[in-house]
Amino acid sequence: MASTQTLLSPAELAYLHSSLSLTPPIRPDGRSSTQFRPLVAETGILPGTNGSARICFADGTEAIVGVKAEVERTKSALTTTEDETVHRLEGEFVEGLAGAGGNSAGNIDEEDNDGLEGQNEWVELSVEIPGYRDDDSGTVFLSALLTEALLADGNLTKKLRINTRFHWKLYLDILLISPPLSYPLPLLSLTTHLALLSTRLPRLKSEGDEDPFFDDDWAAAPYLYPRENGTSGKATLRPPISLLVMAVGNNIIFDPAKEELAVADVALAVSIGDGKDNNSNAMDTDTRNLRLLSVRTIDPPSRLTPPGVPNATNTAYGAAAGTTAQKQPEARAAESEAVEGVWKPPRGGAKPLVMAALVQKVLEKGGVTDEVLDALDAVELE
Amino acid sequence: MADRRRINGPAGATLPPVYLNEDAQPSDDSKISRTRAANAIRKLYLKTGVTPSASGSAYLEIEAPGGGAVSGLKLSCTVHGPRSLPRSTPFSPHIILSTHVKYAPFATKQRHGYLRDPMERDLGTHLEAALRGAIIADRWPKSGVDVIISIIEGDQDRQTSKSQELGSWETMNALAGCITVASAALADAGIDCVDTIAGGVAALVKDAGDNNSPRIVIDPIPLEHEKILSACCVAYLPTRDEVTNLWFKGDLPASDMELYTQLVETGIQAAKSANLVLVECLHETMG
Amino acid sequence: MSTLAIPGQLLGSAAKFQPGPGTHIHESNLYSSLLGSVVITQPAKAPGPTKRLNKIINTTTTPAELPTISVSRSGVSEKQRETLPEVGNIVLCRVIRITPGQAVVAILICGDTVLDAEWQGLIRAQDVRATEKDRVKIYESFRPGDIVRAEVISLGDQANYYLSTARNELGVIIASSEAGNAMYPVNWKEYRDPETGLSEPRKVAKPY
């Protein structure tokens, strides 16, 4: 998907690249380098879901996310069968085996830990983008990226645990309604964030390991991400967001449009979580505690753009047309130094320092991430 | 999405029986401990030209640590092309790169089907991003090249009876191996590359037993450590000092940028070590 | 001089050498982009001594006078590197089918290299010969099965390379008659069957 062809001429690409490399950069739509595109967001739009959200970008791209939860039996660590007695038997088998190995307690402890941790299969995320097959590499990449961020800190799966035998299975269905006009990662990530924030699971009435039954009163259903004072305040712990950030020349540009991405030197998807530190339990609700959850390089489409032809080698500008001497079949000419103002698709990668600077910029205190989270806070949850 | 053209094995998990080796010392812990230095990668074996019918090919093997408790990584990569594109493809001034990464059905404890699952496709996308930066695409207009990697043996612990799914940490090791082996195969096929690209993995781990603070190690094996806090896989071009693909995963406080930078630096170190083997192998190829 | 190079190996400054096949420029240095042996070709004409030394001499050597450095696989490994037809190359091809407007050919040999992959080419009626282009009839120039020497004039569209035979030494070099016998050329537009004695029209390549 990152390699979506852009229909820009080499001259346009060269112009875009040089205007984006200026300090400060001049973006085609007049935004500042850290400014996001304006968007309209609402939550709780789908009554049949546990949580939902819709975000509409000013350019008309729109995404809907629905979160559905189902109660599922927890599979034992060893066997696929769900029968409890078999589970016990297998458990003893393990014990016996480990006992022969010397120590059995360690194994059992571990299993208990696993139970508390929650499992990654409990969350299933699917992305659908019109015009792309659902096994298209771009779609798969996006859903892997979003899943990875969600599961990175293990907090979400922990919340899905009901008791040792049952858990919630969470289905996140991400639907892009319009064909993607730009790389849809920020849109999908922000919509998912809002949908998860508005997700509620029915209140559990049963206790312990008995078969779960739930409170019918939807108003009493707690939020998946709990709020400060009951149901009204801000969420204390929030789902992660993934931001798209790219570098051109010496500039770092957030939320690039498709045209801007077409001249990117490097593009990164950075996922950030916002939660309390596991070590220090000091709950300071005013300052965020950002956490870096994942970083992925996005293959910038700039590598697949057509190169420009410098005047020196352009026969239309009086360059010697007949380099006919070089007609050996392997002679690949057109290898030349970069010429100012002539577009040349970037080769190679990015310096590690540039990559570090991109991540640094995202994580900056009081920077763009804070701004985005503040803006998302302001979205009225149903 | 069941594959109906083949006879498929049973759906779901299949667990091979684990027999206790009589000679084996009853280890008091299922974990093995890391014996390598923190900045040493496992031994690599790399050879090009293993598949004569392909334009280029390479085979990579990473030694299995801990006396067979963990299987090593075995990868075979074939490169087909440059070849003409199918007629339906639009004109391209560049070579069109396509990458396939597939676990063999028997590569890991959990059997893999014949169709690529999302994890394998994701690996393919990562590999594509890594290689796209390395090849000089405009040398070969109107043509395509296919890089196909089969993971013959996955890097997975064999002994624990727990049926764990393929963890993401092993995936990173596999990706680093894929990048290195694909680089050798591309050079063997004579596709123009700006540099020899190699992959490396570094991780922030917490070791069992000691109460030390987490440390950064190269080429981590999940079984050797109590817990992996975060890891990153880097595709690195050594002469240009450039990174074409970076994949970081884990949970790091944002205030600790130092740790992140250090982790990436260590990943680059790992890639440099792998690159030494790659360069040696390419020299051998030329005789 | 024959040293080995691996991709990314520094070969020299771009000011001293001209980039040849298998090399690329990065930050005004030449690097290898292939695995192979380094070949340095001196320019065909050694830069002759300037006669009028008292005049202002252009001290900066023009690129044409620089030796070309290239990396090639040939000679080191028996495996032939895949090549692509390129604009200006002379190729040998077989005619697959003809229509009134064009002949569709399969490119077999590019320069001295036999191609592994199947590349398709197109000789349009206006590219068959240099003169009287509007009187060209494809079926009087080529027949399916002919072997044609042609020049690549364009990379063309997604499917075809565009070829031309609009030079004396380009055209049909091997042809067989309707009876199936190998024919010999008699003039610039005819081939003759030695057994039946019948002539068939072709765009005949001038023998070297």
Side-chain angles (χ1 to χ4, degrees):
Chain A
M1 179 126 3
S3 52
T4 312
Q5 287 278 337
T6 42
L7 298 170
L8 292 174
S9 69
E12 287 170 308
L13 291 167
Y15 174 78
L16 256 176
H17 188 269
S18 49
S19 67
L20 285 176
S21 310
L22 296 171
T23 33
I26 299 171
R27 300 177 71 170
D29 46 9
R31 284 184 283 160
S32 74
S33 62
T34 55
Q35 204 176 350
F36 271 65
R37 282 168 285 186
L39 55 84
V40 180
E42 55 180 327
T43 60
I45 52 159
L46 305 171
T49 59
N50 291 63
S52 61
R54 182 186 79 107
I55 287 187
C56 183
F57 267 163
D59 62 5
T61 48
E62 193 175 346
I64 290 185
V65 174
V67 182
K68 293 271 245 181
E70 284 174 11
V71 177
E72 224 183 43
R73 265 175 195 273
T74 308
K75 283 179 190 168
S76 92
L78 188 67
T79 168
T80 51
T81 168
E82 289 163 14
D83 195 63
E84 190 68 9
T85 52
V86 173
H87 170 62
R88 290 245 171 75
L89 277 172
E90 298 277 1
E92 274 163 31
F93 171 63
V94 172
E95 207 171 325
L97 200 79
N103 185 354
S104 61
N107 248 343
I108 303 295
D109 278 346
E110 241 175 58
E111 283 198 351
D112 282 353
N113 268 340
D114 277 359
L116 281 175
E117 288 278 305
Q119 287 165 21
N120 285 352
E121 309 100 85
W122 295 355
V123 177
E124 199 173 305
L125 186 143
S126 76
V127 175
E128 195 171 316
I129 294 170
Y132 291 88
R133 289 162 56 110
D134 55 359
D135 57 355
D136 181 84
S137 63
T139 316
V140 170
F141 186 78
L142 274 174
S143 66
L145 203 165
L146 293 169
T147 315
E148 186 174 275
L150 273 180
L151 301 177
D153 54 3
N155 282 337
L156 177 61
T157 47
K158 233 182 268 176
K159 293 178 215 273
L160 297 177
R161 194 169 174 279
I162 299 173
N163 54 38
T164 51
R165 291 167 52 222
F166 291 93
H167 64 263
W168 288 106
K169 172 129 187 176
L170 209 61
Y171 294 91
L172 282 106
D173 294 292
I174 304 176
L175 234 73
L176 195 67
I177 292 181
S178 53
L181 296 175
S182 57
Y183 196 64
L185 170 70
L187 175 66
L188 300 187
S189 163
L190 296 185
T191 320
T192 312
H193 177 93
L194 286 179
L196 279 172
L197 270 186
S198 72
T199 300
R200 304 161 88 168
L201 297 176
R203 197 164 64 87
L204 189 66
K205 277 170 100 178
S206 57
E207 283 171 358
D209 279 354
E210 62 189 58
D211 283 3
F213 63 94
F214 298 98
D215 197 341
D216 284 342
D217 187 6
W218 186 243
Y223 283 97
L224 183 63
Y225 284 88
R227 308 283 166 86
E228 258 167 45
N229 24 354
T231 53
S232 59
K234 281 194 274 181
T236 49
L237 212 85
R238 306 171 59 107
I241 55 169
S242 305
L243 298 181
L244 187 63
V245 54
M246 69 172 221
V248 176
N250 294 322
N251 288 323
I252 295 173
I253 290 169
F254 281 84
D255 189 27
K258 185 188 183 186
E259 296 78 25
E260 294 167 314
L261 205 58
V263 296
D265 293 338
V266 55
L268 287 184
V270 185
S271 304
I272 309 115
D274 171 21
K276 63 174 197 289
D277 200 304
N278 289 335
N279 303 325
S280 68
N281 284 325
M283 278 300 290
D284 191 356
T285 44
D286 288 344
T287 58
R288 291 209 171 75
N289 202 334
L290 297 185
R291 302 185 70 81
L292 179 63
L293 298 181
S294 102
V295 178
R296 277 178 180 229
T297 322
I298 306 278
D299 189 18
S302 51
R303 295 200 223 273
L304 294 175
T305 47
V309 181
N311 282 352
T313 54
N314 191 347
T315 46
Y317 281 83
T323 46
T324 41
Q326 287 190 350
K327 279 197 177 161
Q328 69 227 62
E330 270 192 71
R332 317 215 162 266
E335 179 64 35
S336 58
E337 295 265 12
V339 181
E340 177 72 36
V342 177
W343 174 248
K344 216 176 164 199
R347 276 179 193 162
K351 299 278 179 205
L353 277 179
V354 175
M355 294 236 179
L358 282 176
V359 178
Q360 173 99 61
K361 183 88 179 166
V362 173
L363 295 176
E364 213 172 45
K365 256 206 157 30
V368 182
T369 311
D370 273 329
E371 229 169 79
V372 172
L373 286 172
D374 281 339
L376 287 171
D377 267 343
V379 176
E380 214 168 285
L381 294 172
E382 43 127 13
Chain B
M1 262 220 312
D3 184 2
R4 287 182 203 168
R5 275 174 290 186
R6 295 182 183 88
I7 300 166
N8 286 306
T14 49
L15 284 176
V18 179
Y19 298 105
L20 215 62
N21 194 344
E22 283 186 12
D23 304 332
Q25 295 296 319
S27 57
D28 52 343
D29 198 345
S30 67
K31 305 238 175 232
I32 48 172
S33 59
R34 186 182 170 109
T35 47
R36 290 169 291 136
N39 60 354
I41 60 168
R42 282 174 285 168
K43 284 185 189 137
L44 294 179
Y45 174 80
L46 185 61
K47 186 175 164 55
T48 58
V50 289
T51 315
S53 58
S55 316
S57 56
Y59 172 78
L60 175 83
E61 193 173 323
I62 301 182
E63 70 163 334
V70 178
S71 60
L73 189 65
K74 294 190 175 85
L75 301 172
S76 140
C77 175
T78 51
V79 173
H80 299 276
R83 58 178 175 197
S84 50
L85 292 169
R87 302 186 118 258
S88 55
T89 340
F91 178 82
S92 154
H94 305 282
I95 198 163
I96 292 182
L97 173 74
S98 65
T99 51
H100 290 253
V101 179
K102 184 78 193 81
Y103 275 87
F106 44 78
T108 51
K109 211 154 61 174
Q110 179 116 31
R111 184 179 170 276
H112 282 262
Y114 286 101
L115 294 172
R116 287 193 294 156
D117 68 11
M119 188 266 288
E120 287 162 341
R121 286 174 192 280
D122 187 36
L123 268 183
T125 320
H126 276 293
L127 181 67
E128 188 182 329
L131 296 183
R132 180 118 55 203
I135 61 173
I136 305 180
D138 48 14
R139 292 284 163 89
W140 304 93
K142 284 179 64 160
S143 42
V145 61
D146 297 330
V147 177
I148 295 156
I149 293 184
S150 344
I151 302 179
I152 302 167
E153 197 171 294
D155 212 1
Q156 206 191 20
D157 82 85
R158 224 184 243 161
Q159 217 142 59
T160 44
S161 47
K162 258 191 292 174
S163 111
Q164 66 203 124
E165 59 178 318
L166 197 64
S168 51
W169 312 118
E170 283 103 341
T171 323
M172 276 198 174
N173 277 341
L175 177 65
C178 286
I179 292 167
T180 313
V181 75
S183 170
L186 279 175
D188 186 42
I191 311 262
D192 294 74
C193 289
V194 291
D195 203 344
T196 47
I197 189 167
V201 182
L204 183 69
V205 297
K206 227 179 102 195
D207 280 325
D210 51 10
N211 298 321
N212 297 342
S213 55
R215 58 176 184 145
I216 295 179
V217 295
I218 269 178
D219 193 14
I221 302 166
L223 196 65
E224 287 180 349
H225 305 287
E226 170 82 29
K227 195 169 183 218
I228 294 187
L229 301 171
S230 51
C232 82
C233 176
V234 184
Y236 182 68
L237 303 166
T239 37
R240 291 167 78 104
D241 183 32
E242 285 176 348
V243 173
T244 60
N245 190 39
L246 174 72
W247 181 21
F248 166 87
K249 205 177 138 142
D251 190 8
L252 273 186
S255 48
D256 212 349
M257 265 304 284
E258 197 61 32
L259 203 58
Y260 166 76
T261 323
Q262 225 177 322
L263 198 61
V264 175
E265 279 298 319
T266 319
I268 289 174
Q269 284 305 321
K272 277 182 180 164
S273 312
N275 197 67
L276 292 179
V277 181
L278 179 59
V279 167
E280 187 71 22
C281 163
L282 291 183
H283 277 296
E284 237 166 62
T285 308
M286 299 306 293
Chain C
M1 176 186 163
S2 170
T3 46
L4 292 183
I6 60 165
Q9 188 167 322
L10 179 66
L11 297 175
S13 160
K16 290 197 185 129
F17 295 103
Q18 239 190 314
T23 63
H24 69 279
I25 298 179
H26 176 59
E27 288 172 350
S28 62
N29 274 323
L30 276 170
Y31 292 88
S32 167
S33 56
L34 285 180
L35 177 65
S37 57
V38 182
V39 181
I40 297 175
T41 330
Q42 294 301 327
K45 281 183 220 155
T50 326
K51 278 179 184 172
R52 287 172 289 181
L53 282 169
N54 51 346
K55 293 266 174 171
I56 301 162
I57 313 163
N58 193 5
T59 45
T60 54
T61 47
T62 57
E65 291 166 358
L66 293 171
T68 306
I69 195 162
S70 56
V71 176
S72 89
R73 194 69 189 270
S74 51
V76 186
S77 160
E78 68 276 16
K79 192 147 85 177
Q80 193 64 49
R81 180 168 177 254
E82 183 65 45
T83 50
L84 290 189
E86 214 170 322
V87 174
N89 288 158
I90 302 294
V91 296
L92 295 186
C93 42
R94 176 188 289 118
V95 179
I96 296 173
R97 61 178 179 270
I98 56 173
T99 64
Q102 64 199 30
V104 179
V105 300
I107 301 172
L108 308 172
I109 294 176
C110 175
D112 301 327
T113 322
V114 180
L115 301 178
D116 285 343
E118 178 95 337
W119 302 97
Q120 192 170 297
L122 205 64
I123 307 174
R124 298 172 298 175
Q126 62 265 42
D127 295 327
V128 171
R129 64 178 186 230
T131 54
E132 290 192 293
K133 289 185 177 181
D134 43 354
R135 298 230 185 129
V136 171
K137 293 192 175 71
I138 284 287
Y139 63 87
E140 288 178 357
S141 308
F142 307 111
R143 292 291 165 85
D146 290 357
I147 301 295
V148 176
R149 186 191 294 135
E151 183 187 3
V152 181
I153 53 169
S154 159
L155 296 185
D157 54 16
Q158 68 260 39
N160 300 303
Y161 282 86
Y162 283 22
L163 310 176
S164 163
T165 55
R167 262 159 51 192
N168 280 345
E169 67 271 23
L170 303 178
V172 178
I173 54 170
I174 299 174
S176 49
S177 68
E178 277 177 27
N181 305 315
M183 299 195 290
Y184 60 91
V186 285
N187 59 30
W188 67 278
K189 57 175 185 179
E190 273 182 330
Y191 264 91
R192 185 169 291 159
D193 186 330
E195 288 182 29
T196 60
L198 293 174
S199 298
E200 285 184 25
R202 291 285 196 281
K203 162 56 171 116
V204 182
K206 182 182 162 193
Y208 282 123

